[in-house]
Amino acid sequence: MAEPPLPNAEETVTLLDDLIAEWKAVDGPIDVRVDGHISHAVHVFGLVCHTYALADAVLHLRAAGHHVQSVPLIRQAMEGSAARVGDSRSQAASAT
């Protein structure tokens, strides 16, 4: 089965703009369904908040023409999120 094509830079920026706009539009409490310990939900929510902040900073740097300066933030978002989601899955598995 062929992999779907990856978005180009402009498509990625558009997608991030849309996701960040949706994130900023949330006003009020967020309902979370928890299967397991509440700390897992808090952990994942914190990761999402951190990734959102990194993506928002990357877009601001890009808009200002600071493409190279945004690379460490992109790397941090990708590596940190992937590693910590794995941690969260491990915690959830050990809790059951």
Side-chain angles (χ1 to χ4, degrees), residues 18-33:
D18 292 346
L19 290 171
I20 289 170
E22 285 182 32
W23 182 264
K24 288 180 177 179
V26 174
D27 186 24
I30 298 172
D31 293 328
V32 177
R33 187 174 142 227

Side-chain angles (χ1 to χ4, degrees), residues 10-57:
E10 293 305 316
E11 292 168 335
T12 301
V13 168
T14 300
L15 177 62
L16 282 176
D17 280 335
D18 292 346
L19 290 171
I20 289 170
E22 285 182 32
W23 182 264
K24 288 180 177 179
V26 174
D27 186 24
I30 298 172
D31 293 328
V32 177
R33 187 174 142 227
V34 178
D35 292 332
H37 199 277
I38 187 68
S39 68
H40 301 151
V42 172
H43 182 85
V44 171
F45 183 74
L47 294 172
V48 171
C49 292
H50 185 236
T51 302
Y52 151 76
L54 290 170
D56 198 32

Side-chain angles (χ1 to χ4, degrees), residues 49-90:
C49 292
H50 185 236
T51 302
Y52 151 76
L54 290 170
D56 198 32
V58 166
L59 291 179
H60 285 289
L61 286 169
R62 187 180 188 284
H66 301 297
H67 300 267
V68 173
Q69 292 85 345
S70 70
V71 172
L73 298 180
I74 295 168
R75 182 176 177 172
Q76 184 179 8
M78 293 171 62
E79 289 178 350
S81 296
R84 291 193 179 90
V85 166
D87 291 346
S88 181
R89 287 182 182 164
S90 295

